[in-house]
Amino acid sequence: MYARSRFFANLSHEFRTPLTLMKGPLEQLISGRIKDNLTDYYIMLLRNTGKLQNLIDQLLELSQLEAETIPLKIQQVELVSLLKGFTYSFMPLAEQQFISLNFSSSAEKILVNLDRDKLEKIINNLLSNAFKFTPSGGKVSVDLSTESSTGQQTAIVKVSDTGPGI
């Protein structure tokens, strides 16, 4: 029973991010403050409705959670463009809150094997919290780098902000 409660609590938190990323731009579109690049806003809204659909699909995985058999869906992805996309989906929120949002990478391309959905949840959670606690005029950054040791290459993702910290 505890696992189910934790699952719903986590999932509820995950619903907030795409809803927040949709609410601000929708309010701006309705008020008429947005006149240029309407297509960009519509694409961002569509992408976030897809995220909500994905979260709803996860509700259907509840039986797998109870059986402790939620599988990872590992696939090879190009990490730089993926993280850049996750990061810049927060741009409307950054503009609304007058927060500078930056993404940097030490490499142009990094191929990795990972569960895209799980990474997106982690990054969205980190960025959501960064924006929640960064004051207006502050800065949120996502930095991607690689590190080599013992023949293995590791990707390192750092999310930082100018908020008060933990």
Side-chain angles (χ1 to χ4, degrees):
M1 191 58 128
Y2 174 72
R4 179 182 285 187
S5 295
R6 195 173 75 230
F7 174 78
F8 281 115
N10 289 337
L11 197 59
S12 296
H13 182 76
E14 295 301 324
F15 272 97
R16 284 183 171 166
T17 299
L19 285 172
T20 299
L21 293 175
M22 292 167 64
K23 185 180 177 195
L26 280 172
E27 289 170 344
Q28 291 176 336
L29 287 166
I30 290 168
S31 72
R33 287 182 287 181
I34 304 295
K35 301 208 186 310
D36 296 329
N37 299 324
L38 291 178
T39 302
D40 291 343
Y41 279 85
Y42 295 142
I43 290 169
M44 185 270 307
L45 291 168
L46 183 61
R47 183 175 52 243
N48 282 300
T49 58
K51 289 177 184 178
L52 286 174
Q53 178 64 51
N54 191 23
L55 289 169
I56 290 167
D57 291 344
Q58 290 176 27
L59 284 173
L60 301 174
E61 293 180 351
L62 182 57
S63 62
Q64 291 178 328
L65 174 68
E66 289 173 338
E68 297 182 8
T69 60
I70 294 179
L72 289 175
K73 297 172 186 158
I74 304 295
Q75 60 187 3
Q76 187 174 63
V77 298
E78 198 288 296
L79 190 58
V80 177
S81 59
L82 185 65
L83 271 177
K84 188 183 287 186
F86 292 163
T87 301
Y88 288 133
S89 70
F90 280 80
M91 191 56 79
L93 183 61
E95 291 170 353
Q96 184 180 11
Q97 295 183 1
F98 304 102
I99 294 173
S100 171
L101 176 61
N102 296 306
F103 172 84
S104 67
S105 176
S106 63
E108 286 185 35
K109 233 179 177 183
I110 302 171
L111 292 176
V112 295
N113 294 317
L114 55 76
D115 184 319
R116 184 187 190 283
D117 180 60
K118 302 295 187 279
L119 178 67
E120 183 173 14
K121 282 183 187 176
I122 292 165
I123 299 302
N124 282 346
N125 192 306
L126 291 170
L127 285 170
S128 180
N129 286 331
F131 278 97
K132 185 176 180 180
F133 295 106
T134 299
S136 183
K139 182 178 177 180
V140 173
S141 298
V142 177
D143 300 301
L144 174 61
S145 60
T146 59
E147 183 177 278
S148 296
S149 67
T150 64
Q152 291 278 349
Q153 191 152 5
T154 303
I156 300 167
V157 179
K158 292 181 183 177
V159 177
S160 58
D161 62 68
T162 57
I166 296 174

